[in-house]
Amino acid sequence: MTDQRHHFRQPLQRSPFHPRIEAANVLNAWAPWAGYTTALNFGDVAMEHSAIRSTASVYDVSPMIKYAIEGPDAVAYLDRLTLRRVAGMPVGGVQYTAWCNDAGHVLDDGTLFRFDETRFRLCCQERHLPWLLDSAIGFDVTIRDVTEEVAGLSLQGPTSFAVLKAAGAAELADLKPFRMAEVRLGPVGPVTVSRTGFTADLGYELWVAPERALDLWDHLMISGRLHGIRPVGTEALNIARIEAGFITANADFVCAEHALRPDRARQPDEIGLDWMVDLDKGPFNGRAAIRAARRDRTLKWALVGLDIEGNISAEGSIVYLGGRKEVGQITAAVWSPTTKRNIALAQLLRPWHRDAGDKLRVEIYALRELQYHKLMLPARVVKRPFFNPPRRRATPPAMF
Amino acid sequence: MPTPSFDTIIIGAGLNGLACAGRLAQGGAKVLVLEAADQPGGGALTAEFAPGYRVDRLAHLVTHLDGRMLSALKPEAHGLNWAVKSMPTTVLSAEGRHLTLTGAYGASAPGLDPREARRWADLRARLLRHAEVLRPLREITPPLPGKGGAKGNVVALGKAGLALRRLGREEMQEFLRMILINVHDVTEESLTDDRLRGLLAFDATLGAFLGPRSPNSLFLLWHRLSGDAGHIRWPSGGMGALAAAVTRAVEATGAEIRCKARVERLLTDGDRITGVRLEGGEEITVSRVISTINPRTTLLDLLGAREIDTGLVRRVSNIRMRGTTAKLHLALREAPEFLGADLRHRLVIAPSSEAVELAFNAVKYGEFSAEPVMEIMSPSAHEAGFAPEGHHVLSIVAQYVPFVRRGGWDAGARDGLKAAIMARLEAHAPGIGALVTASELLATPDIADRHGLVGGSWHQGDLAVEQMLFMRPAIGIARYATPVPGLWLAGAGSHPGGGISGAAGWNAANEILGAA
Ligand SMILES: Cc1cc2nc3c(=O)[nH]c(=O)nc-3n(C[C@H](O)[C@H](O)[C@H](O)COP(=O)(O)OP(=O)(O)OC[C@H]3O[C@@H](n4cnc5c(N)ncnc54)[C@H](O)[C@@H]3O)c2cc1C
């Protein structure tokens, strides 16, 4: 093991895929993510987004924080920790979930993988070990940060199944969304494949031991050559995830543990996660507070999708009611190449998420050759996801 | 499952459980008190420790008994007699230069030289005035900061405010200056007599993990004085007789007390309290349970961490409970001779404030004091029935003794502790060792084991400024209610803290009746 005291010499860690990513990162577009250096793009964001929606893309998700949660009480523990019911989750299932503090404020969201009766993995944006450990008091369960023990590669796009088939995993034809399976991929060996992703498209996430990461990368690239596979960076993925209507911690909501201002923390209902909350499953962190907020109608915010006139991205804009009254702000926005609409995620004060009709206006400062033009563009609350193709769910997936 | 003929179960028949039961029953509740031991009383308990020798096993003096409980339940009408209503204190000197204080916390101290006597009169008056500000707070549910006057508390808060204003501007400044100060500094700036300073240092740190130089140690002295204005009482028949009289008074209200009934589990339907399960398996259905035992035991062991949110689990796990007190009971074949001191007084060995601080040092490092400080009380000097004719018993509260000792608490460690206490006694009562015919030592962990005082903590959670009022036992559960509907806390771990008092139980009952 390298001397831990020298960690400061390399402030950002390198993912197991780094050698390949570095070679492909022709513009040296790097950004930190959870302590790792990661690629923002590989030279052409439009082509990368197009790969996600038209062919196949690979995106390195190794920096995701991963916790192994194991033990006889793992189910009971997770039921107390998270918002959704875990007891009914099948072995081999995957659940998108979130968890709260005592005040019912969301600490993070993430995906929960069930390997067998007693073994789970929780993947998320932020580090939570102290909270997870303190939540384990009274449960027979062990919790370990395994972030560095698992490399992850997200394979997304209409031809992603074709790529996997070519790679030797034809049996994944039967894998349904939010399920996972173990397959052997030729030169790579065992790979855990889950039909999950952050794009609302057909897609998979592949999990391997770090030593196998480069073999996995190479094998996919070779197998996918005829299926239009290409590596994508965070910028392209971000467009796809906004189209999918997914929220990101510390972008669309502030994790309660990071929130400095008392009014920044959000309950699940305030960030569109109300559907997750299972008030009938028994005690879980935040239940009483969530119940009370619903009963006393103290919820202040709502997270919505907006369809905005024009084609100028509304990132960071303030949302007005009838041009004067501030009723919220945009947390993510993009001109969506897939839907050809100007879309955004926004936090709106209640009840304007419901009652604003056609009165919402978004204030956009459009930079045109060194001059800002202030625009007040009409916006409508619309359903998320903005893009939701049937191929996302089709089992077996179509061969494109 | 028996049909529920009770609407309220109280866990623990210590003074808090009893007070709570009496108040609730008078308020119309149908109360069942479940007590693990074979008699009620909790820390108020008189027991035989050697054939023919009896002593107050845990608490041995009364300084805080709740006045509301006394006047509403009238234990005096049920057999409570005071053998002593204002016990003098004698600070022992190894040279026989004892100092005796009589009346309410040394209203008179004839042994002081005239100038020191004047200084003491000034300081004493000031301490009592300051304690008076705090007294109304003992009787209310802790107000939440920023929430204004909660119902019912406005009056008591107003009283505290009034008492504060009545101090006048200068005195109020003095009060605020002294709030967080330590008792050593206060006595150093006000007094010169080491005996007196030693006594104040001892009283301020009794039952605490504090030395006289620890910040906010003065607060505990105020706390002591805000009880019975500094009077020390002792019930005829000992603390067990006090418990028995209060028990009869509580039973007269209609509440039922069941002994040898240890609650082992709180039952819920995942939402609210539905009952309790006793050791042995019996389940009793009830929708309201009030626990007067340790708050951590209640929430993490009886209820289970699974039923409450992680933030609260964290806070409850972090409540500091660090007992520092041991008890030694001695059977003596004749009256010990403390160089002329009156055996009927509370006898204190704390030769100076520095001596108390030095004794405290050890416990910081997981050791017991080589020269412990202590409080001695002899029931047999007051009444027959505690020792055979002509014989005597001593009840000694000794500090500082750690709950977790470096090297563990084996027989050798206990012998060492006993020897250390005996050496101090021998220095103040030469020849006392030869009179001992039997003894019982309760080191801090023994007290924890036998009496369910987690960490051996006198107050079921250190009484310190950061664990007081709305922070006692922890933020979020300071107003006696817990997040689990139907479950309440009302023991020494809750505001206003421990001692043979009943105040927490009474306050909780008031809160419950208000909420009902
Ligand atoms: C060494 C020592 C000396 C002390 N000396 C004094 C003193 O001189 N004067 C003074 O005022 N205070 C003194 N105290 C403090 C005092 O004893 C306590 O603060 C006081 O007893 C607290 O009262 P309570 O009713 O809250 O709890 P307790 O008196 O502890 O009563 C709790 C009761 O609950 C019962 N119980 C516990 N678990 C269960 C269960 N699971 N099911 C059912 N019943 C249960 C116990 O048996 C006990 O009877 C002393 C403390 C110590 C440690």
Side-chain angles (χ1 to χ4, degrees):
Chain A
M1 223 178 129
T2 52
D3 190 337
Q4 294 278 327
R5 286 172 302 181
H6 290 172
H7 68 91
F8 62 91
R9 294 183 196 279
Q10 190 181 303
L12 288 177
Q13 297 212 59
R14 289 173 177 182
S15 135
F17 298 107
H18 188 81
R20 299 297 181 270
I21 291 173
E22 185 178 30
N25 194 346
V26 291
L27 295 186
N28 263 321
W30 299 106
W33 170 24
Y36 284 81
T37 184
T38 57
L40 279 174
N41 66 64
F42 291 90
D44 190 333
V45 176
M47 284 304 287
E48 292 166 34
H49 176 263
S50 162
I52 297 174
R53 291 293 177 221
S54 313
T55 56
S57 63
V58 291
Y59 179 73
D60 180 8
V61 291
S62 305
M64 289 284 275
I65 310 300
K66 308 171 205 81
Y67 295 104
I69 296 170
E70 303 179 358
D73 282 343
V75 171
Y77 166 77
L78 286 163
D79 259 328
R80 172 276 191 42
L81 179 77
T82 64
L83 297 175
R84 295 180 72 180
R85 188 186 294 269
V86 176
M89 205 177 151
V91 167
V94 185
Q95 199 179 61
Y96 170 52
T97 190
W99 52 102
C100 293
N101 62 15
D102 296 26
H105 291 140
V106 178
L107 290 167
D108 207 346
D109 61 350
T111 30
L112 180 66
F113 297 79
R114 181 167 199 175
F115 295 104
D116 60 32
E117 289 305 318
T118 60
R119 293 191 308 125
F120 290 81
R121 184 187 296 155
L122 184 62
C123 294
C124 52
Q125 279 288 331
E126 300 290 332
R127 293 186 189 268
H128 297 283
L129 197 57
W131 181 261
L132 298 186
L133 288 175
D134 286 346
S135 299
I137 294 172
F139 292 90
D140 186 357
V141 65
T142 60
I143 294 145
R144 222 156 44 81
D145 186 330
V146 295
T147 304
E148 293 178 26
E149 295 169 29
V150 185
L153 201 56
S154 182
L155 173 67
Q156 304 281 315
T159 67
S160 53
F161 172 66
V163 174
L164 286 173
K165 192 172 174 191
E171 70 265 37
L172 289 175
D174 298 330
L175 189 68
K176 296 192 177 114
F178 289 104
R179 289 298 154 95
M180 61 176 163
E182 175 120 332
V183 297
R184 293 193 72 83
L185 288 186
V188 188
V191 179
T192 302
V193 180
S194 55
R195 190 163 165 191
T196 49
F198 211 42
T199 61
D201 218 304
L202 175 63
Y204 302 84
E205 286 168 316
L206 289 72
W207 311 94
V208 288
E211 312 81 76
R212 313 305 303 157
L214 295 182
D215 287 343
L216 175 65
W217 180 284
D218 295 342
H219 186 55
L220 284 182
M221 286 304 175
I222 291 165
S223 311
R225 191 172 293 156
L226 295 177
H227 302 281
I229 197 167
R230 77 187 289 153
V232 302
T234 307
E235 288 168 0
L237 180 75
N238 195 43
I239 300 173
R241 78 95 183 168
I242 298 172
E243 292 176 334
F246 288 135
I247 56 174
T248 302
N250 288 327
D252 301 288
F253 69 96
V254 183
C255 293
E257 273 186 340
H258 295 273
L260 298 177
R261 295 165 181 80
D263 62 341
R264 291 305 193 271
R266 295 285 181 269
Q267 288 212 350
D269 296 16
E270 295 178 300
I271 56 172
L273 301 183
D274 37 343
W275 59 273
M276 278 185 184
V277 179
D278 185 343
L279 286 177
D280 303 321
K281 69 169 178 170
F284 61 87
N285 282 331
R287 180 178 67 163
I290 292 170
R291 224 181 228 163
R294 288 183 180 179
R295 185 193 56 222
D296 305 338
R297 299 180 183 283
T298 52
L299 295 163
K300 233 180 123 185
W301 295 93
L303 190 130
V304 298
L306 289 184
D307 191 331
I308 304 166
E309 236 176 47
N311 61 3
I312 300 164
S313 167
E315 234 168 340
S317 296
I318 293 177
V319 184
Y320 292 87
L321 186 75
R324 228 178 256 280
K325 182 182 161 67
E326 279 183 32
V327 292
Q329 51 278 317
I330 306 270
T331 57
V334 72
W335 189 82
S336 157
T338 313
T339 63
K340 309 282 187 272
R341 286 150 75 194
N342 194 19
I343 61 173
L345 300 176
Q347 294 243 330
L348 292 190
L349 280 171
R350 289 165 183 256
W352 308 117
H353 67 304
R354 203 187 53 214
D355 297 348
D358 56 4
K359 292 207 197 65
L360 292 181
R361 297 288 178 277
V362 173
E363 181 179 45
I364 296 177
Y365 289 83
L367 185 60
R368 289 174 180 149
E369 293 180 287
L370 296 184
Q371 276 190 36
Y372 278 110
H373 292 246
K374 180 178 156 178
L375 312 169
M376 279 295 236
L377 298 178
R380 274 182 310 115
V381 172
V382 296
K383 277 217 165 59
R384 290 180 295 146
F386 301 97
F387 179 65
N388 193 14
R391 65 175 181 250
R392 176 189 194 181
R393 278 170 304 273
T395 310
M399 289 291 288
F400 289 98
Chain B
M1 218 182 267
T3 43
S5 46
F6 302 97
D7 55 28
T8 304
I9 279 179
I10 294 178
I11 305 176
L15 259 292
N16 280 316
L18 292 170
C20 191
R23 174 79 183 100
L24 284 176
Q26 284 186 339
K30 296 194 180 58
V31 182
L32 172 65
V33 185
L34 298 171
E35 166 57 53
D38 49 15
Q39 79 253 50
L45 167 70
T46 308
E48 190 171 66
F49 67 97
Y53 298 93
R54 295 168 67 239
V55 79
D56 292 331
R57 160 82 69 65
L58 209 57
H60 62 183
L61 293 167
V62 176
T63 55
H64 272 91
L65 202 57
D66 193 78
R68 296 166 300 173
M69 180 186 75
L70 281 178
S71 46
L73 299 181
K74 303 196 173 33
E76 273 105 345
H78 294 270
L80 173 62
N81 279 310
W82 295 107
V84 192
K85 282 196 167 167
S86 186
M87 187 184 289
T89 293
T90 292
V91 187
L92 296 176
S93 135
E95 291 81 45
R97 288 180 49 252
H98 306 319
L99 172 69
T100 294
L101 284 77
T102 60
Y105 210 67
S108 142
L112 293 173
D113 85 57
R115 278 177 35 218
E116 181 74 350
R118 260 197 312 281
R119 289 191 286 262
W120 167 235
D122 281 350
L123 178 61
R124 176 181 169 279
R126 200 192 314 157
L127 291 172
L128 286 171
R129 274 197 304 274
H130 293 174
E132 214 44 46
V133 177
L134 298 180
R135 191 210 291 272
L137 295 177
R138 288 183 60 80
E139 305 196 343
I140 62 169
T141 298
L144 293 178
K147 290 275 164 74
K151 63 174 170 226
N153 295 337
V154 185
V155 177
L157 266 183
K159 270 193 218 161
L162 206 65
L164 192 59
R165 259 208 309 274
R166 233 187 272 126
L167 291 178
R169 212 175 103 92
E170 254 173 58
E171 193 64 29
M172 178 147 74
Q173 278 171 3
E174 188 62 6
F175 174 79
L176 295 175
R177 182 182 75 89
M178 286 169 80
I179 276 190
L180 298 180
I181 218 170
N182 69 62
V183 69
H184 179 89
D185 287 352
V186 169
T187 63
E188 189 168 55
E189 67 187 20
S190 317
L191 303 170
T192 57
D193 191 303
D194 269 342
R195 298 166 301 178
L196 190 51
R197 293 187 56 212
L199 175 67
L200 291 171
F202 179 82
D203 281 346
T205 56
L206 184 60
F209 194 100
L210 295 177
R213 281 197 171 103
S214 306
N216 73 62
S217 49
L218 188 71
F219 207 96
L220 289 172
L221 190 57
W222 283 344
H223 180 261
R224 183 185 175 97
L225 297 179
S226 71
D228 215 354
H231 287 290
I232 299 172
R233 286 189 276 183
W234 188 70
S236 178
M239 303 300 275
L242 165 75
V246 175
T247 299
R248 283 189 293 273
V250 169
E251 281 168 342
T253 65
E256 186 178 323
I257 300 167
R258 225 175 107 181
C259 292
K260 296 185 201 162
R262 177 177 292 278
V263 176
E264 123 190 313
R265 192 84 205 156
L266 289 165
L267 306 174
T268 74
D269 59 5
D271 257 326
R272 50 174 305 123
I273 287 289
T274 55
V276 301
R277 190 174 69 226
L278 303 183
E279 200 174 65
E282 183 188 339
E283 294 191 353
I284 306 175
T285 305
V286 76
S287 61
R288 183 161 66 201
V289 175
I290 303 153
S291 171
T292 68
I293 69 171
N294 187 279
R296 187 187 298 163
T297 311
T298 303
L299 293 173
L300 301 191
D301 300 340
L302 297 197
L303 179 68
R306 299 171 173 215
E307 308 263 344
I308 52 177
D309 288 350
T310 300
L312 183 58
V313 172
R314 252 183 196 171
R315 292 196 298 278
V316 170
S317 306
N318 292 340
I319 299 172
R320 282 181 291 103
M321 305 181 194
R322 300 165 301 179
T324 56
T325 323
K327 277 210 79 181
L328 179 63
H329 303 141
L330 296 179
L332 304 170
R333 104 163 79 74
E334 57 188 63
E337 179 48 58
F338 285 91
L339 302 177
D342 189 334
L343 205 53
R344 288 169 307 171
H345 292 185
R346 173 174 75 126
L347 306 177
V348 173
I349 301 181
S352 65
S353 186
E354 286 77 4
V356 180
E357 184 72 27
L358 276 173
F360 172 59
N361 281 348
V363 84
K364 290 190 272 187
Y365 306 104
E367 257 308 338
F368 57 78
S369 321
E371 298 201 339
V373 291
M374 66 194 79
E375 168 183 275
I376 306 157
M377 137 78 190
S378 175
S380 54
H382 295 277
E383 284 185 354
F386 287 89
E389 184 69 42
H391 293 224
H392 277 281
V393 286
L394 294 185
S395 166
I396 299 161
V397 170
Q399 276 187 184
Y400 291 85
V401 180
F403 174 69
V404 179
R405 178 178 172 270
R406 196 161 26 179
W409 272 112
D410 52 13
R414 283 188 172 73
D415 288 347
L417 171 60
K418 188 173 150 195
I421 301 172
M422 287 308 300
R424 297 306 291 152
L425 289 171
E426 197 66 41
H428 293 82
I432 188 172
L435 303 178
V436 176
T437 60
S439 70
E440 175 185 49
L441 176 74
L442 299 176
T444 313
D446 308 330
I447 290 170
D449 289 348
R450 287 222 217 161
H451 295 280
L453 296 178
V454 178
S457 169
W458 182 297
H459 295 280
Q460 299 280 29
D462 295 358
L463 200 61
V465 167
E466 73 282 9
Q467 293 193 158
M468 272 182 190
L469 289 164
F470 68 93
M471 294 178 283
R472 183 169 192 83
I475 289 176
I477 47 173
R479 294 171 60 80
Y480 308 110
T482 71
V484 179
L487 179 63
W488 301 77
L489 300 174
S494 294
H495 173 77
I500 298 307
S501 158
W506 201 267
N507 288 352
N510 279 342
E511 184 70 19
I512 290 165
L513 291 173

